[in-house]
Amino acid sequence: LVLTQADTDLLAFSRAVPLMAEDFPPVRAHTVNHLTSEADAIAFLDQVVPTAEVVVVRLHGGRASLPGFDHLLRLVEQGGQWLIAMPGTEDLDPDLTACSNAGVPIAHELKAYFQYSGVDNYQQALYFLADHLLTTGYGYLPPSEQPRTGVYHPAAPDHSIEAWRSAKQPDRPTVGVLFYRSYFLTGNTAFIDALIERGEAAGLNIL
């Protein structure tokens, strides 16, 4: 079970889970951004947590950003489940790590998979968790670092600035569009493609 404040996590898991081994345990991923009150959070957690063997929580604002976090800790303790709590940013959060019961090495390695992002890393993160916490034997690859910056354009399949330059129109003004790399790494580029198409139709180069 994955509880996250990063919507791109949901997209990544929706693409990674179908690639898993056929006998892989069920994977559920939910956003917790809709939980604004303690009562709503407790009702939600009571519904989704008890049936999980492993619970992963990824928060942008620390434990205080999830109403009912203390209730989650009680549920996990009562159910004897594994819990890995981590920040959704690059920064470390010792408070969240201390709430995890799977050990610091596992928490930090899992954070690396998520931080590097990409469907492949999310898939390997699931195998990593299963092998370490559920004693399966699927095998897994280590986290694979992804480029932190790059160039994107549908007409530049190698994502190089050279390919983009070869396709641009020198007499047109150029407009840059900046977006999170997680959208690219999880394949969520349809809205970027639409911006590029509209911009080019208006007589612009879009970078």
Side-chain angles (χ1 to χ4, degrees), residues 53-54 82-84 102 106 128-136:
E53 293 182 89
V54 179
W82 293 109
L83 173 67
I84 303 99
I106 288 179
F128 168 81
L129 286 176
D131 280 6
H132 281 274
L133 302 182
L134 303 180
T135 63
T136 57

Side-chain angles (χ1 to χ4, degrees), residues 24-162:
F24 194 81
V27 178
R28 293 172 291 138
H30 299 280
T31 179
V32 293
N33 290 328
H34 64 291
L35 302 176
T36 57
S37 72
E38 189 87 3
D40 288 343
I42 288 175
F44 174 76
L45 294 170
D46 283 345
Q47 180 181 9
V48 301
V49 171
T51 56
E53 293 182 89
V54 179
V55 180
V56 177
V57 183
R58 197 161 182 244
L59 304 175
H60 291 315
R63 60 185 295 170
S65 67
L66 176 61
F69 187 86
D70 290 339
H71 183 69
L72 170 63
L73 296 182
R74 289 192 292 270
L75 285 176
V76 168
E77 184 176 4
Q78 293 168 6
Q81 296 145 301
W82 293 109
L83 173 67
I84 303 99
M86 70 182 70
T89 63
E90 292 187 4
D91 298 329
L92 297 176
D93 189 324
D95 188 28
L96 283 177
T97 302
C99 295
S100 305
N101 60 16
V104 173
I106 288 179
H108 284 181
E109 189 76 350
L110 183 62
K111 185 179 185 301
Y113 281 109
F114 286 163
Q115 196 63 52
Y116 288 153
S117 192
V119 174
D120 289 344
N121 275 323
Y122 278 69
Q123 181 186 11
Q124 297 305 318
L126 293 174
Y127 283 133
F128 168 81
L129 286 176
D131 280 6
H132 281 274
L133 302 182
L134 303 180
T135 63
T136 57
Y138 295 106
Y140 57 88
L141 297 175
S144 175
E145 189 167 3
Q146 304 295 318
R148 296 183 63 84
T149 60
V151 172
Y152 174 77
H153 192 287
D158 64 350
H159 309 299
S160 69
I161 189 66
E162 290 77 18

